[in-house]
Amino acid sequence: MSTIEFPQDFVWGVTTAAYQNEGGVKEGGRGESIWDRFSHIPGRILHNDNGDIACDSYHRIGEDISLLKELGVKAYRFSIAWPRILPSGWGEVSEEGLKYYEQLIDGLLEAGIEPYVTLYHWDLPQKLQDEGGWTNRRTAEYFKEYCKVVFQRFGHKVHRWITLNEPWVVAFNGYYTGVMAPGIRDFSAALGAAHVQLLAHGMAVECFRSMKLPGEIGITLNLCPKEALRNTGADQEAAVRHDGYSNRWFLDPLFTGAYPQDMWNWYEQQGVTMPHTEPGDMEYISTYIDFLGINYYNIDYTKADDSVWPLGFRTGFSGGNPMTYYQMPVTPEGLKKVLKRVNEDYHPSQIYITENGASYQDHPDRNGNIPDEARIDYLFTHIQKASEALAEGVPLAGYFVWTLLDDFEWNTGYDNQFGLVFVDRKTLTRTKKKSFDWYAKVIRSNGAELKHM
Ligand code: FCB
């Protein structure tokens, strides 16, 4: 038994995202998103899966809320699909789309669960992509307009807002490696997409504040400590660059109002076309946020490699650690490291761990049970590290597991199962895994019963 103590108001939650869960992609007047388009291009998604049906959450609000109630979470982080609210990205608002989220929000509030709403979890309206997507500065304006519609409708009920989820992934997996929607391969475009997203975030925060609504607003970044794979000067330098590429490129503008100079110089030397910025952009971007959301999965081990333009390194190694099914090294100490480092270097007022979880292959045994011990072990060791960071002064306000249901995991389709609940792909029936009961117990005891069952 651990002696860990969490503050009474510590927020235990679970996270999902619209495209990964909802299905009903052609219902309620929803417009096409870049993920609808991308997932239907043969060969882009493992097994050519797509999110047309996903977990069918669009039709199962009641069932999902019952599960959340049983889990005992204080908060549910989900995302609103922009193309459900503004099918073309701007202009006409869909009342049916707003109604769907109203039902969900009201259901959560009735169940005593606080909604934490992400405004953008990757499903850009395709019509905006046709005009350049996140490389077009106008997308930031459109995002602000969309947020305004949502704030107007739900601002009196929802008090925790997250503008963007993981802008790094959107920019660099979407526009540089192209493994995710919209599938573009252009490093300079990716830097542009990062800038326009940051601008969109800042504009949304400003809009929220100008509406004088109650509540708090922040952003979620995916942050991994970067470590040298080998004990060589070249790998160490590469790890610093890797940190600049994915962590500091977002943290610095948000908290200090400037891009990291070392990275700016590096990219220029490599011949990258740098993002177009305008006077006032950095002020918007560094507008005060009430909290920082951190999604943490693993430490990234970095190996110098001159042949990789323009970064000069490779990653994706185990570093000698066990790996999850997704091939992410299991490195709980990295969570504590990232929390402490962000706190020391950037001083956010509050931090939430907005995602943390692991993919393993889970299937019901002969008795219908799913004894997902490896997931329990992963969550256990990570929550333990979070509590250590808390004890050492990090203003950690909450912890959210990724995710409630086995869902559509982007380019890996339904192959990676992160859920506390198993979803049968044929019947869509939900079956609780052992980790569900374990996490329910952790929540009920406010972390005091944090032990490996
Ligand atoms: C994060 C995403 C989330 C999910 C997990 C596994 O990068 O925010 O949607 O896919 O990874």
Side-chain angles (χ1 to χ4, degrees), residues 134-418:
W134 288 112
T135 61
N136 179 356
R137 277 179 75 89
R138 260 186 310 188
T139 300
E141 295 279 353
Y142 294 144
F143 180 69
K144 184 187 78 180
E145 289 307 315
Y146 148 67
C147 290
K148 194 168 169 195
V149 171
V150 175
F151 294 150
Q152 254 157 0
R153 182 64 167 250
F154 302 122
H156 55 295
K157 295 180 178 176
V158 173
H159 296 142
R160 297 291 193 296
W161 298 99
I162 291 156
T163 54
L164 306 177
N165 179 70
E166 302 189 351
W168 178 85
V169 172
V170 171
F172 293 96
N173 286 349
Y175 291 79
Y176 164 45
T177 64
V179 298
M180 291 195 177
I184 291 164
R185 298 199 176 122
D186 174 348
F187 195 87
S188 301
L191 283 186
H195 184 70
V196 174
Q197 283 184 89
L198 284 168
L199 185 60
H201 153 81
M203 291 171 102
V205 173
E206 255 239 349
C207 170
F208 177 75
R209 294 261 158 70
S210 73
M211 291 170 79
K212 306 259 177 282
L213 291 164
E216 301 189 332
I217 190 161
I219 187 171
T220 280
L221 303 179
N222 54 306
L223 300 177
C224 315
K226 312 296 179 189
E227 293 188 3
L229 183 68
R230 303 158 302 183
N231 194 13
T232 64
D235 280 10
Q236 275 152 7
E237 267 173 44
V240 172
R241 203 157 55 243
H242 195 177
D243 181 56
Y245 162 60
S246 45
N247 298 329
R248 288 184 287 123
W249 197 257
F250 294 86
L251 286 164
D252 282 17
L254 288 166
F255 289 97
T256 73
Y259 284 109
Q261 197 61 49
D262 61 330
M263 291 311 294
W264 193 279
N265 297 346
W266 172 271
Y267 291 143
E268 276 187 338
Q269 280 159 15
Q270 303 299 311
V272 172
T273 307
M274 297 311 284
H276 167 74
T277 64
E278 290 185 10
D281 283 6
M282 300 318 281
E283 282 74 31
Y284 265 126
I285 293 172
S286 57
T287 305
Y288 174 79
I289 46 175
D290 298 295
F291 61 85
L292 174 69
I294 297 180
N295 291 351
Y296 176 79
Y297 289 92
N298 56 270
I299 291 177
D300 277 337
Y301 296 93
T302 313
K303 185 179 179 189
D305 185 339
D306 291 343
S307 71
V308 182
W309 181 88
L311 295 167
F313 63 79
R314 279 182 197 285
T315 187
F317 307 99
S318 75
N321 300 285
M323 301 282 252
T324 65
Y325 182 73
Y326 206 121
Q327 298 306 299
M328 291 169 166
V330 179
T331 51
E333 68 283 3
L335 177 57
K336 182 174 172 184
K337 267 192 199 160
V338 88
L339 289 169
K340 294 199 68 167
R341 182 271 177 110
V342 165
N343 187 39
E344 278 156 25
D345 291 358
Y346 300 97
H347 319 290
S349 308
Q350 299 175 79
I351 300 177
Y352 288 96
I353 296 164
T354 39
E355 287 179 27
N356 177 234
S359 149
Y360 292 104
Q361 293 275 284
D362 309 309
H363 292 286
D365 64 17
R366 247 183 282 140
N367 306 317
N369 297 322
I370 306 169
D372 56 338
E373 297 294 341
R375 178 168 298 96
I376 294 175
D377 197 50
Y378 179 98
L379 297 175
F380 164 68
T381 49
H382 285 75
I383 295 174
Q384 206 171 30
K385 289 292 163 195
S387 81
E388 286 175 23
L390 190 64
E392 290 173 33
V394 174
L396 184 66
Y399 172 90
F400 291 68
V401 169
W402 181 268
T403 180
L404 181 66
L405 306 170
D406 287 345
D407 64 357
F408 175 76
E409 281 299 333
W410 308 114
N411 55 325
T412 69
Y414 294 94
D415 214 40
N416 276 293
Q417 301 166 278
F418 279 87

